[in-house]
Amino acid sequence: MDMTDLVEITEPGELTELLGEPLPRVRDKARARLGELDRQWLEHSPFCLVATSDADGNCDVSPKGDPAGGLALVLDDTTLAIAERPGNRRADGFRNVLSNPHVGLIFLVPGRGDTLRVNGRARLVREAPFLDRMTVKGHRPVLALLVEVEEVFYHCSKAFLRSELWKPETWRPDEVPSRARIAKVLERPEDSIEELETYYGPRYAERLYG
């Protein structure tokens, strides 16, 4: 790629000059505590993205999902917890938290274009009384991400409207390789496509909490 013609932004003032100043209601919308509307949103959100970085600034974004009502447990107006469920055990985001506690979370509600952003500081908790309340389908989490809330606000729906994310008529899942074919090329070349299609087939969903 030819990079010689790039015009780079290097100062905050340049960015403001290009994009303009945010409206006061946008600039000032962040809050330091969870309110009743936030609690309702978290109660009905089955999916969130957790952004972290390590002490050197290397970043990670991890998806987290559970049935609505089981994803985020609100402990009080400034504290929430997200359970860890069985996964690939890389724990990239968790390792980041051990060296840099700052986290950013975006909570989605299917069909809604707006999203809830929560920024704060996180700890990893391997035992606590509230873990019992986070049991889903018989699975009690072995640890939870405990987030001390510092900033809460809502994003508008422009990104979702532009992407048409929630419009099924725009979905084209078969235009990219299947999960099995991706695994065959990048992760498990020793396995056959037939084996991988079986592994990632209907029974895959039966093992989510096993």
Side-chain angles (χ1 to χ4, degrees):
M1 177 184 292
D2 184 4
M3 309 290 280
T4 58
D5 293 330
L6 292 180
V7 179
E8 187 176 351
I9 292 174
T10 59
E11 298 291 339
E14 294 180 81
L15 189 60
T16 300
E17 182 180 358
L18 183 65
L19 300 181
E21 293 281 359
L23 294 172
R25 65 174 178 269
V26 175
R27 182 193 62 215
D28 301 332
K29 68 179 179 178
R31 295 165 284 110
R33 306 176 71 86
L34 298 168
E36 180 57 32
L37 294 176
D38 309 319
R39 288 172 175 264
Q40 291 179 33
W41 189 278
L42 294 170
E43 176 67 21
H44 291 88
S45 174
F47 182 84
C48 78
L49 298 168
V50 181
T52 60
S53 68
D54 65 18
D56 296 321
N58 300 299
C59 296
D60 179 77
V61 178
S62 298
K64 302 294 181 184
D66 266 320
L71 175 64
L73 176 64
V74 177
L75 299 172
D76 56 46
D77 289 350
T78 59
T79 316
L80 62 83
I82 298 174
E84 169 64 352
R85 304 299 180 188
N88 60 17
R89 298 187 288 276
R90 281 181 57 107
D92 297 312
F94 292 151
R95 295 181 191 279
N96 286 348
V97 166
L98 293 177
S99 61
N100 177 5
H102 298 282
V103 298
L105 306 92
I106 292 184
F107 290 91
L108 283 70
V109 171
R112 287 289 294 264
D114 42 345
T115 54
L116 178 64
R117 167 81 70 86
V118 177
N119 296 324
R121 298 170 67 89
R123 292 177 285 162
L124 303 183
V125 178
R126 64 181 298 173
E127 190 54 67
F130 62 77
L131 292 181
D132 290 335
R133 297 165 56 190
M134 306 185 81
T135 299
V136 172
K137 297 185 178 181
H139 180 267
R140 184 183 188 270
V142 296
L143 67 87
L145 187 72
L146 187 66
V147 179
E148 298 175 11
V149 176
E150 295 178 335
E151 189 176 43
V152 185
F153 60 91
Y154 287 90
H155 286 287
C156 72
S157 59
K158 289 179 181 176
F160 284 80
L161 293 173
R162 292 184 182 119
S163 65
E164 299 185 326
L165 185 68
W166 300 126
K167 290 188 175 182
E169 63 270 24
T170 70
W171 297 350
R172 302 288 186 271
D174 295 330
E175 290 188 1
V176 295
S178 69
R179 179 70 187 100
R181 293 191 177 277
I182 292 172
K184 173 67 176 175
V185 173
L186 300 177
E187 302 159 12
R188 300 170 61 173
E190 71 282 359
D191 294 337
S192 69
I193 281 292
E194 291 74 20
E195 291 172 321
L196 292 170
E197 292 286 4
T198 299
Y199 179 80
Y200 290 110
R203 294 188 61 189
Y204 188 75
E206 299 173 5
R207 302 189 293 269
L208 297 180
Y209 295 90

